[in-house]
Amino acid sequence: MMRVLDIDLDFFLKDVCPFADAGQRPDVTGREPWTKEETAAFLETRLLLDKQRPIPGRIFETHDQALDFWKDMMDQDRLTAPFFVTHVDAHTDLGIVQKGYPFVRHNVLSRPVEKRVQLQEYREKVQLNEANYLAFALGFRWIASLENIRNPKSRPDFPKEMLHDAENPAIWLKSAFPQLFEAKYGNEPIVPYFEYPSGDAYIACSPFDFISVAISPRYSPKEADELISVFEAYILKV
């Protein structure tokens, strides 16, 4: 099964930034970015990236654009769903109560699987965004397993209603009307979920097939943009 590395620049900060107003960047004080050397060492020793063997990927502004990238690769028969996702981010990006999961339950899981991927529609309805896009990817049945590597200063933001059960570290989405829609489209898959409190607690089990990197300007100070060149060295742009 294929493996996708999904990175957000806000992971590589000393602390998590508050969400900045549109068109603004968070203040860097107390949230200084890692050095280029620290970042490269993490990419190589923990994520098994190699400058001599760059992997296909893209760098984009907001993290929901990962969905567009993954869809493009699937449309080109280069990526096959479901795939493993390793999410390196200060946030889970599974949404909050008001956005994400409730909409997915009512308006995504109620559709046949082959008709669920309507990115433009969900954006026009102001439902899909950079803080909840992984909930949509789960609703599309794209993700076979999800790893979340967190910044040590990350705040709790996992939607507990997604848990399979208290004893099982897995995600199980349920439609708003399971007797109706799950009878038609089958039960949503149970997706194993693993959370790591920091990069020091994680080493990839094998190399990745694709990489996506989000700048997330409203979540990271402009000083963090210096790290973009570090990621570029490991990416074969597609």
Side-chain angles (χ1 to χ4, degrees):
M1 199 169 289
M2 303 188 79
R3 292 168 51 78
V4 173
L5 177 59
D6 186 37
I7 294 177
D8 197 306
L9 204 58
D10 68 7
F11 173 86
F12 298 88
L13 305 175
K14 290 184 178 180
D15 200 350
V16 179
C17 291
F19 188 48
D21 293 335
Q24 302 298 313
R25 302 291 294 267
D27 181 72
V28 72
T29 306
R31 308 172 189 98
E32 292 79 9
W34 295 14
T35 66
K36 291 184 176 181
E37 293 74 19
E38 290 171 330
T39 303
F42 176 79
L43 297 180
E44 294 180 9
T45 63
R46 298 291 171 173
L47 302 178
L48 308 184
L49 298 185
D50 187 341
K51 292 179 182 177
Q52 302 306 312
R53 292 188 293 275
I55 59 176
R58 286 182 193 168
I59 298 174
F60 35 74
E61 184 169 289
T62 61
H63 218 155
D64 58 291
Q65 291 174 277
L67 299 181
D68 302 87
F69 171 49
W70 300 343
K71 184 178 183 299
D72 285 349
M73 294 300 97
M74 286 186 279
D75 288 345
Q76 296 176 33
D77 294 324
R78 300 180 64 177
L79 176 62
T80 302
F83 45 83
F84 291 104
V85 174
T86 296
H87 181 64
V88 182
D89 197 313
H91 308 87
T92 62
D93 291 342
L94 290 168
I96 55 177
V97 174
Q98 293 82 4
K99 294 281 186 179
Y101 185 48
F103 181 84
V104 170
R105 290 189 69 210
H106 285 82
N107 299 281
V108 177
L109 302 187
S110 59
R111 304 181 181 198
V113 177
E114 66 275 11
K115 295 183 178 180
R116 292 180 180 179
V117 185
Q118 305 295 335
L119 303 184
Q120 182 176 348
E121 174 191 333
Y122 302 146
R123 287 179 173 129
E124 289 175 350
K125 291 180 176 179
V126 197
Q127 294 295 331
L128 169 62
N129 59 50
E130 59 191 315
N132 65 27
Y133 73 98
L134 283 178
F136 284 83
L138 289 162
F140 301 158
R141 299 189 184 179
W142 284 358
I143 299 180
S145 180
L146 178 60
E147 296 179 319
N148 189 14
I149 296 87
R150 316 209 71 190
N151 183 298
K153 298 293 184 69
S154 290
R155 282 56 162 175
D157 65 345
F158 181 88
K160 299 297 185 183
E161 60 270 25
M162 286 189 179
L163 275 180
H164 179 221
D165 58 58
E167 305 298 325
N168 191 342
I171 296 172
W172 190 20
L173 301 186
K174 295 182 180 181
S175 71
F177 308 100
Q179 291 184 330
L180 175 61
F181 295 114
E182 290 173 14
K184 292 174 64 176
Y185 311 132
N187 290 334
E188 298 303 315
I190 297 173
V191 177
Y193 175 78
F194 305 94
E195 188 169 296
Y196 299 84
S198 72
D200 292 338
Y202 179 81
I203 297 180
C205 63
S206 61
F208 295 95
D209 298 293
F210 290 93
I211 179 173
S212 51
V213 179
I215 299 171
S216 297
R218 298 178 71 180
Y219 290 95
S220 59
K222 58 180 174 50
E223 289 79 1
D225 292 354
E226 292 293 322
L227 299 180
I228 295 172
S229 62
V230 177
F231 297 109
E232 290 176 331
Y234 300 92
I235 296 175
L236 180 63
K237 294 182 179 180
V238 291

